[in-house]
Amino acid sequence: MESFIIEGGHRLSGTITPQGAKNEALEVICATLLTTEPVIIHNVPDILDVNNLILLLQDIGVKVKKRAPNEYSFQADEVNLDYLESVDFVKKCSSLRGSVLMIGPLLGRFGKATIAKPGGDKIGRRRLDTHFLGFKNLGARFVRLEDRDVYEIQADKLVGQYMLLDEASITGTANIIMAAVMAEGTTTIYNAACEPYIQQLCKMLNAMGAKITGIGSNLLTIEGVQKLSATEHHILPDMIEVGSFIGMAAMIGDGVRIKDVSIQNLGLILDTFHRLGVQIIVDGDDLIIPRQDHYVIDSFIDGTIMTISDAPWPGLTPDLISVLLVVATQAQGSVLFHQKMFESRLFFVDKLIDMGAQIILCDPHRAVVVGHDHAKILRAGRMSSPDIRAGIALLIAALSAQGTSRIDNIAQIDRGYENIEERLNALGAKIRRAEIC
């Protein structure tokens, strides 16, 4: 197991560029299964979750070629469907959350899919009902095999239907879209997720020959086609990494420029940091975060305490609640965080409390942070990363703390952040990767 050893208190300055978006990468890489022709994808992040998904596609027979750093070609013209029945395939899927996104394209193109209950973050229940209800609407039948803990899904023919999703699930929407693009007739998906990465998936599929309208809204119409073709696609910068860098620069920065962030696709992220009092300068498509000796939490117009909560797009992404919470520990004022979408994501705050943060965990979904206004610096400590986003939040806390901290289980951070210690060390951080026996 590897750990990070972090010497806190070093100011960050300079320029950093966000990686390609993890969630978009998982979607569009799985979409390459829908055609026999080569698909070239640019700006692929070099992170554990994406690399493991690429290896899994190679295992089932997809021809993968690394053309340049962060650039791959995929050709799924000889997929080995027998491998989907193997114990080895099921085992690999069970450790990779992104594997669930293979179901839609496999079902759409081959009429069958076998998938294990996917792994990933331990942040509460992440059900698959929306996926399966969508597949069922298209005419698929499925059964869960309890002894193997896998799902088998089959369809002699997929037929487009109107469907109202029970929740605006991002992966559920992506999976249903990929299953429906080659279904017979027209599929209408209402209450569809509409975040930028879903929009990117739809644009890529249309470039391959799909017929999807309503992109950017929660009402998608998909006219089925018989075949999809080759294309090239460029992945957006990762909005969660952009938000993570804003948080670092606010707490411990001495002037940081974040380059090429695709501002039009950040949604409420900048507004939410502004609510915490963080100053952000927009310069073209870059963000400049000046040194923040003080930042004051806003209040609502009626003077009541600020509440920050997550919601499906265009609301605030839940993946940034952990980062925002850490930033608030050094603000002036108090704020209530309401993590609505996952019931276990706030449990990492006990580690921040051990570091000296003033946080009241009200219940699994809500926490009140009373900011120190830099009058009381966090203490260094030893901690373990429970998930990707809590991991980066703890890293931000350790960077701002007095003394040397250690974060174990950093494979969780590696799942979502590319060469994070090298990139932050280039800004002046002191982070060392260590093998812990």
Side-chain angles (χ1 to χ4, degrees):
M1 178 185 293
E2 289 187 315
S3 299
F4 279 150
I5 310 299
I6 307 105
E7 184 181 308
H10 296 279
R11 287 272 170 186
L12 308 182
S13 62
T15 299
I16 193 166
T17 303
Q19 67 189 30
K22 167 183 176 281
N23 291 337
E24 180 185 342
L26 297 176
E27 294 171 13
V28 299
I29 288 172
C30 287
T32 65
L33 288 167
L34 286 164
T35 179
T36 61
E37 299 182 18
V39 176
I40 298 171
I41 303 179
H42 304 270
N43 203 27
V44 177
D46 183 11
I47 56 177
L48 197 59
D49 272 10
V50 171
N51 293 338
N52 284 341
L53 179 62
I54 291 172
L55 290 174
L56 189 58
L57 290 186
Q58 288 179 304
D59 287 340
I60 67 173
V62 178
K63 298 169 185 171
V64 179
K65 181 180 179 181
K66 188 171 185 178
R67 295 162 51 94
N70 307 107
E71 178 182 318
Y72 289 84
S73 68
F74 301 85
Q75 187 166 9
D77 57 344
E78 295 180 354
V79 175
N80 180 7
L81 296 179
D82 292 337
Y83 182 72
L84 303 180
E85 307 289 338
S86 70
V87 173
D88 187 52
F89 177 76
V90 170
K91 182 179 179 180
K92 290 178 179 179
C93 288
S94 64
S95 62
L96 176 62
R97 178 72 194 171
S99 64
V100 73
L101 287 161
M102 295 171 63
I103 307 176
L106 288 172
L107 182 63
R109 180 176 163 195
F110 299 106
K112 65 177 182 177
T114 303
I115 202 81
K117 183 178 180 181
D121 290 329
K122 306 303 181 186
I123 56 174
R125 186 170 56 95
R126 302 178 79 171
R127 62 189 182 88
L128 298 177
D129 300 60
T130 303
H131 304 240
F132 291 139
L133 289 172
F135 299 146
K136 186 176 180 180
N137 282 330
L138 293 173
R141 56 190 182 277
F142 65 94
V143 61
R144 182 180 180 188
L145 303 180
E146 297 284 350
D147 56 331
R148 296 172 59 202
D149 199 22
V150 300
Y151 299 89
E152 286 191 348
I153 309 166
Q154 293 183 346
D156 298 325
K157 179 175 67 173
L158 296 178
V159 179
Q161 297 288 339
Y162 169 87
M163 61 185 80
L164 173 62
L165 302 188
D166 62 329
E167 64 175 3
S169 164
I170 295 171
T171 54
T173 300
N175 246 336
I176 296 166
I177 291 169
M178 289 188 282
V181 287
M182 292 195 291
E184 183 179 295
T186 299
T187 300
T188 302
I189 308 173
Y190 195 24
N191 195 29
C194 54
E195 61 151 17
Y197 306 142
I198 290 288
Q199 297 175 40
Q200 285 285 98
L201 172 66
C202 291
K203 291 173 183 177
M204 175 177 143
L205 291 171
N206 278 353
M208 295 168 69
K211 296 181 179 180
I212 306 171
T213 57
I215 298 172
S217 76
N218 68 348
L219 180 61
L220 294 175
T221 302
I222 305 168
E223 184 181 338
V225 298
Q226 292 186 342
K227 179 184 176 183
L228 296 180
S229 304
T231 193
E232 288 196 36
H233 179 77
H234 190 92
I235 293 173
L236 288 175
D238 195 309
M239 71 170 80
I240 312 305
E241 194 170 67
V242 172
S244 301
F245 293 154
I246 295 172
M248 290 178 192
M251 284 193 74
I252 199 68
D254 200 17
V256 175
R257 177 183 288 268
I258 310 170
K259 285 193 65 64
D260 302 327
V261 301
S262 188
I263 288 170
Q264 71 271 25
N265 289 301
L266 294 181
L268 291 176
I269 291 174
L270 302 188
D271 287 341
T272 305
F273 276 104
H274 287 149
R275 287 185 167 190
L276 294 182
V278 175
Q279 183 183 0
I280 302 172
I281 300 169
V282 176
D283 182 20
D285 206 29
D286 297 354
L287 301 177
I288 300 171
I289 318 300
R291 178 169 176 146
Q292 323 261 329
D293 291 321
H294 299 279
Y295 45 98
V296 181
I297 297 172
D298 202 357
S299 59
F300 288 116
I301 294 174
D302 62 0
T304 54
I305 185 173
M306 176 58 58
T307 299
I308 293 176
S309 58
D310 61 335
W313 183 272
L316 177 68
T317 170
D319 285 347
L320 273 180
I321 291 291
S322 302
V323 170
L324 290 159
L325 190 149
V326 169
V327 174
T329 65
Q330 292 300 324
Q332 179 183 326
S334 301
V335 56
L336 169 65
F337 287 95
H338 191 173
Q339 168 64 272
K340 297 178 181 178
M341 298 175 69
F342 300 108
E343 65 264 24
S344 303
R345 209 166 213 169
L346 294 181
F347 287 159
F348 84 103
V349 302
D350 62 340
K351 301 172 179 64
L352 298 177
I353 294 170
D354 289 342
M355 298 175 76
Q358 292 184 303
I359 303 172
I360 302 168
L361 184 61
C362 307
D363 56 44
H365 290 277
R366 296 176 301 158
V368 175
V369 180
V370 180
H372 290 156
D373 193 21
H374 294 291
K376 183 180 178 183
I377 306 302
L378 297 178
R379 298 185 297 268
R382 179 173 178 177
M383 57 208 92
S384 180
S385 173
D387 64 74
I388 301 175
R389 308 310 174 187
I392 202 68
L394 293 173
L395 181 58
I396 295 171
L399 288 169
S400 70
Q402 285 184 331
T404 300
S405 299
R406 172 173 149 183
I407 302 177
D408 297 325
N409 195 30
I410 61 170
Q412 287 286 0
I413 301 174
D414 289 337
R415 288 178 51 217
Y417 293 85
E418 179 178 329
N419 300 323
I420 189 65
E421 74 274 24
E422 295 176 17
R423 297 160 71 202
L424 295 181
N425 285 344
L427 297 179
K430 300 293 183 183
I431 306 170
R432 177 171 57 88
R433 185 178 293 255
E435 186 74 34
I436 305 298
C437 299

